Amino acid sequence: MSLTKILIANRGEIAVRIIRAAQELGLKTVQVYSAADETSLAVQLADEAVEIGPPVAKKSYLDVAAVLAAADKTGADAIHPGYGFLAENAEFADAVAAAGISFVGPSGDVIRRMGDKASARKAAKEAGVPTVPGSDGVIGDLTEACALAQQIGFPVMIKATAGGGGRGIRIANSAEEFMTLAPQASSEASAAFGDGGLYLEKVIERARHIEVQILGDGENFIHCFERECSLQRRRQKVWEEAPSAALTPDVRERLCASAVALAAAVKYCGAGTIEYLYDDISGDFYFIEMNTRIQVEHPVTESITGIDLLAEMIKVADGQPLSIRQEDVSFRGHAIEVRINAEDPAANFMPFPGVVGDLRVPGGPGVRFDHMLYQGYQIPPFYDSLLGKLIVNADTREKAIIRLKRAIGELGLGDLKTTAPLFTALAETPDVLSGSVHTKWLEPWLEANSDKLSGH
Amino acid sequence: MAIHEVRAMMPGIFYRKPSPDDPSYKEAGDSVAKGDVIGLIEVMKSFHEVVADADGTITSFQADNEEAIMPGQVLAEIEV
């Protein structure tokens, strides 16, 4: 390892995770922090800590100059951006490289290319990765568009190119409906946005969110199998698993191969995730986007494959080749992660930035708790509500769910309201037990089961 | 004339405008009616409106845009 000191440009549970990986690799750690995070666990665990600004993220964790000044002052030779904040900011990656510091992640150019929806979709298509079928850009003649819609297969979503907030969107179930609805969508979009341009996209009903973890060193590219994150509230994942119980070995092989093809096409360097929608009925999968960073839910992949994803990221940033070859990657058993957020599920997930009370951390076989907590810690109200992630693994999915319930039962945080009761309730729900879920499953379930979400 | 204080109901970041590119909801000197939005508090990435709880004229804001605030902190004063 030629790197000696790594600066963590993040906070919370992921900062703790990065510090642990770096320390195990023999690196010194520098934690930057806002004035609101002086008492954070990450600041206490790091070898050095530098205050970089006031609580508001824009003036601290998002301040590129302040982060670089802290790196310069402490002599850090690597910066890990974690997730969120500056993690997918191409200009930040460029600025870090220009300062002669190793950015733990891909180059600014790769972040730029995969961050833009249109260029990422193009890269995916070129690499032979299936994208959601639709029109290539704006549709012109209505009759031609209807023919295309028939080719894609109904139902088809008619969307306004200038759209937003659901306006200008229609779903056509047949050619007749299409000819009636498309002009309506166009005039609505025209009135709302001053642009009546439309495009078509296939409606994928009952889609699962499935994503593939990839690793690259710029020359070698591997996958570490998939995760399923179909349980979402307001497009936020709350429960993640690996592997996906919905995939056959054949689909899994094709899905993972497509992710490796895309990683290779952009000569990826670091850890990344390629997200797909998976259509249960047809067995087809479609590229949605790529995340060029470590993800919140990475521990489920670590649990089933035994790979330390954070360590691999740092080693690749050091210029080393990947330490594992594809043929060495296998998975065993089943892992589930749930997000313990400072939100009150009984009060419509109202944020609850309280004080950590009598902290009891779950333990025993197959239990991992990645978190930012200690007894008496005042949770700052300024950042996202993720306190920690409870990860369990077992031989089978069924046993993992039993273990999850047992582990949540052990978790104690005093009077702090968290999302923990939600997971106890979900672990007893037939659709969850059988894995019959999709990305639109959780929200209606929450509305119908609010009585099950109060703590004790 | 009495001064009424509008206080923060929760901790977070105080914003005086709906988005960075918009003008402020209210300026000192503006008249307000009970229920008018005078700012936002962002707590853990969720936004909550701060409303005037009295009719009158805003004499001053006691918290700046993007300032970190605590529950009970005075955000604005209204002359009623």
Side-chain angles (χ1 to χ4, degrees):
Chain A
M1 181 78 63
S2 62
L3 298 175
T4 59
K5 192 187 266 193
I6 189 167
L7 180 144
I8 296 97
N10 213 293
R11 62 175 304 283
E13 67 85 21
I14 196 64
V16 173
R17 173 74 185 91
I18 297 164
I19 290 169
R20 286 176 173 153
Q23 288 179 341
E24 287 177 8
L25 291 168
L27 294 175
K28 292 284 179 208
T29 52
V30 179
Q31 179 62 53
V32 296
Y33 64 97
S34 78
D37 276 338
E38 193 177 356
T39 58
S40 72
L41 185 58
V43 165
Q44 295 171 35
L45 292 176
D47 298 299
E48 290 174 75
V50 181
E51 185 175 331
I52 53 164
V56 60
K58 200 165 86 179
K59 295 173 184 167
S60 49
Y61 297 107
L62 292 172
D63 184 338
V64 172
V67 172
L68 289 175
D72 183 51
K73 183 179 153 196
T74 54
D77 48 18
I79 294 182
H80 198 305
Y83 52 65
F85 296 124
L86 296 169
E88 288 172 283
N89 182 315
E91 285 68 38
F92 178 62
D94 286 342
V96 171
I101 297 168
S102 295
F103 180 74
V104 184
S107 68
D109 285 343
V110 170
I111 296 174
R112 223 169 266 121
R113 185 166 174 203
M114 299 316 287
D116 176 84
K117 291 251 176 190
S119 67
R121 186 177 154 100
K122 188 163 171 278
K125 271 189 161 176
E126 284 168 6
V129 181
T131 52
V132 179
S135 59
D136 280 323
V138 182
I139 58 175
D141 179 73
L142 205 58
T143 319
E144 271 175 42
C146 188
L148 177 64
Q150 263 166 320
Q151 206 183 317
I152 294 166
F154 292 102
V156 153
M157 206 182 302
I158 308 165
K159 285 177 152 180
T161 49
R167 277 181 298 186
I169 293 182
R170 291 288 188 284
I171 290 173
N173 291 296
S174 66
E176 296 76 55
E177 271 189 29
F178 182 88
M179 295 305 280
T180 319
L181 293 175
Q184 283 180 16
S186 182
S187 59
E188 185 176 307
S190 186
F193 316 111
D195 178 354
L198 301 175
Y199 67 100
L200 303 182
E201 217 174 74
K202 182 179 169 65
V203 175
I204 297 160
E205 292 169 289
R206 280 190 54 101
R208 291 176 191 266
H209 176 110
I210 295 184
E211 57 188 35
V212 178
Q213 176 69 53
I214 56 112
L215 284 171
D217 59 17
E219 287 172 15
N220 307 290
F221 315 96
I222 64 170
H223 69 79
C224 307
F225 296 100
E226 82 284 0
R227 298 183 284 263
E228 176 168 350
C229 321
S230 297
L231 292 176
Q232 302 184 3
R233 177 178 174 273
R234 294 187 178 170
R235 300 175 144 268
Q236 297 290 311
K237 300 162 186 167
V238 302
W239 163 310
E240 300 107 342
E241 313 188 11
S244 166
L247 298 188
T248 62
D250 168 60
V251 173
R252 173 171 299 118
E253 198 180 313
R254 285 189 287 121
L255 177 79
C256 293
S258 81
V260 172
L262 183 52
V266 299
K267 295 196 163 40
Y268 199 76
C269 204
T273 296
I274 300 172
E275 298 191 331
Y276 299 84
L277 284 178
Y278 177 65
D279 183 341
D280 259 354
I281 297 157
S282 67
D284 293 328
F285 54 83
Y286 307 101
F287 169 82
I288 334 173
E289 63 178 47
M290 178 166 190
N291 296 317
T292 55
R293 53 169 160 81
I294 193 68
Q295 283 193 271
V296 175
E297 59 271 27
H298 74 276
V300 289
T301 298
E302 295 185 325
S303 283
I304 63 161
T305 62
I307 295 169
D308 184 333
L309 293 169
L310 269 296
E312 285 301 317
M313 285 181 94
I314 295 168
K315 285 191 278 186
V316 165
D318 183 50
Q320 300 178 34
L322 287 178
S323 68
I324 16 172
R325 291 167 305 173
Q326 188 68 68
E327 53 267 37
D328 302 328
V329 183
S330 61
F331 69 87
R332 186 175 174 274
H334 197 93
I336 300 174
E337 170 186 287
V338 294
R339 299 194 188 192
I340 308 298
N341 293 343
E343 295 168 7
D344 183 1
N348 198 27
F349 295 85
M350 180 76 175
F352 197 91
V355 175
V356 179
D358 183 5
L359 177 66
R360 302 296 167 116
V361 172
V367 176
R368 166 176 169 182
F369 188 37
D370 277 22
H371 65 90
M372 57 181 280
L373 304 167
Y374 59 84
Q375 199 152 315
Y377 176 52
Q378 166 68 57
I379 295 153
F382 311 113
Y383 311 105
D384 77 34
S385 59
L386 182 67
L387 300 177
K389 302 158 342 196
L390 182 57
I391 306 109
V392 296
N393 70 285
D395 294 344
T396 64
R397 184 171 185 272
E398 191 185 4
K399 287 182 186 168
I401 293 174
I402 293 169
R403 182 160 280 166
L404 177 68
K405 262 178 70 181
R406 187 270 291 169
I408 294 169
E410 288 181 26
L411 175 65
L413 291 157
D415 294 331
L416 204 63
K417 302 272 191 222
T418 74
T419 45
L422 166 64
F423 304 118
T424 305
L426 286 175
E428 293 169 349
T429 300
D431 281 353
V432 174
L433 291 168
S434 64
S436 313
V437 295
H438 50 89
T439 55
K440 304 271 184 330
W441 181 90
L442 181 59
E443 290 191 5
W445 182 89
L446 286 170
E447 283 196 16
N449 293 278
S450 53
D451 56 314
K452 295 179 184 160
L453 301 177
S454 61
H456 303 284
Chain B
M1 292 296 234
I3 294 292
H4 176 82
E5 293 171 335
V6 182
R7 290 173 184 270
M9 61 294 191
M10 53 182 71
I13 304 280
F14 180 60
Y15 295 96
R16 285 188 50 194
K17 31 190 169 179
S19 79
D21 301 328
D22 283 323
S24 295
Y25 286 105
K26 295 287 177 189
E27 299 294 347
D30 287 353
S31 63
V32 287
K34 207 168 167 173
D36 283 357
V37 178
I38 65 160
L40 294 173
I41 295 175
E42 178 189 3
V43 50
M44 296 183 150
K45 294 192 171 173
S46 86
F47 290 84
H48 303 267
E49 290 180 340
V50 179
V51 296
D53 42 7
D55 298 334
T57 304
I58 295 179
T59 54
S60 66
F61 279 90
Q62 298 291 311
D64 292 332
N65 189 47
E66 296 182 358
E67 185 177 324
I69 47 112
M70 294 311 288
Q73 185 174 335
V74 178
L75 302 176
E77 292 182 342
I78 299 173
E79 192 170 29
V80 294

